[in-house]
């Protein structure tokens, strides 16, 4: 079955430092989405990437979809305490179904 | 409604009892998903509905778990003869269609089996 792995599992950064989480799929993906889950909260949709090599930005967040559509990354520039939470990628492989499979998540702690 | 609504928000049950969890998706969203999230863990896919049919039930952990959906509206997830390992947050999400847009999640039902 489809597997979506994320690294690192945990990351502690000093406020103002940059942060990157990487998402890797065992299969080629049609689309990839990113979600943020604040502590005690539920996942909230951030963005969807569809095209090979696509790069999208949301303020300090940069999302990238790999050329082979098997990996993706989320980069946060100059982290703030409001960035704390767990970031999940979710991949859609139309060969295995019509639902997105969620990655294992990266938990980000920002030290003020 | 404006968002995905789940009830109850918290449920404590005795081992061996049956529980029913409810999800009210965003109006007009044809796709509905159930996930399980154990403490500090990722999201485990359980089942996906398109309309009131379930094309993918592959994530249901055992035959104690079942789910149904009425039309393109409310869904219920039923766990029979609950076990302690069923303790988790059960999240429901909906989307306009199976591959359309991001998922909107409800706040979840925290199930504790004692």
């Amino acid at each position: 079955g489809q597997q979506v792995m994320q690294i690192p599992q945990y990351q502690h950064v000093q406020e103002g430092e940059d942060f990157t989480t990487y998402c890797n799929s065992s299969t080629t993906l049609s689309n990839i989405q990113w979600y943020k889950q604040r502590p005690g909260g539920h996942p909230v949709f951030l963005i969807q990437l569809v095209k090979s090599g696509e790069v999208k930005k949301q303020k300090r967040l940069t999302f990238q979809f790999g050329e082979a559509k098997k990996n993706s990354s989320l980069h946060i520039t100059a982290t703030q305490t409001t960035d704390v939470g767990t970031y999940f990628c979710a991949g859609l492989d139309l060969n295995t179904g019509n639902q997105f499979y969620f990655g294992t998540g990266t938990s980000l702690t920002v030290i003020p | 409604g404006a968002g995905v609504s789940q009830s109850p928000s918290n449920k404590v049950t005795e081992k061996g009892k049956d529980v029913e969890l409810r999800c009210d998706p965003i109006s007009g969203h044809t796709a509905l998903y159930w996930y399980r999230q154990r403490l500090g863990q990722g999201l485990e896919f359980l089942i996906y509905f398109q309309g009131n049919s379930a094309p993918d039930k592959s994530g249901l952990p055992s035959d104690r778990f079942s789910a149904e959906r009425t039309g393109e509206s409310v869904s219920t997830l039923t766990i029979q003869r609950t076990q302690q390992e069923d303790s988790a947050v059960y999240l429901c999400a909906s989307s306009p269609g199976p591959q359309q847009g991001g998922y909107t999640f409800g706040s979840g039902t925290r199930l504790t089996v004692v």
Side-chain angles (χ1 to χ4, degrees), chain A residues 33 35 37 42 98-100, chain B residues 35 37 56 98-99 101 103 106:
Chain A
Q33 296 177 344
Y35 293 77
Q37 185 175 25
H42 56 273
N98 273 328
Q99 71 279 8
F100 283 81
Chain B
Y35 290 86
Q37 186 173 36
D56 190 344
Q99 302 158 29
Y103 293 3

Side-chain angles (χ1 to χ4, degrees), chain A residues 10 31 33 35 37 41-43 45 48 88 92 94 96 98-104, chain B residues 33 35 37 40-43 45 48 56 58 91 98-99 101-103 105-108:
Chain A
Y10 302 97
N31 305 352
Q33 296 177 344
Y35 293 77
Q37 185 175 25
H42 56 273
F45 173 73
Q48 175 166 276
F88 292 98
L92 173 66
L94 293 175
T96 58
N98 273 328
Q99 71 279 8
F100 283 81
Y101 283 89
F102 281 75
T104 45
Chain B
Y33 314 84
Y35 290 86
Q37 186 173 36
Q41 302 297 308
L43 284 80
F45 169 75
Y48 147 61
D56 190 344
S58 63
L91 289 161
Q99 302 158 29
Y103 293 3
F105 281 84
S107 298

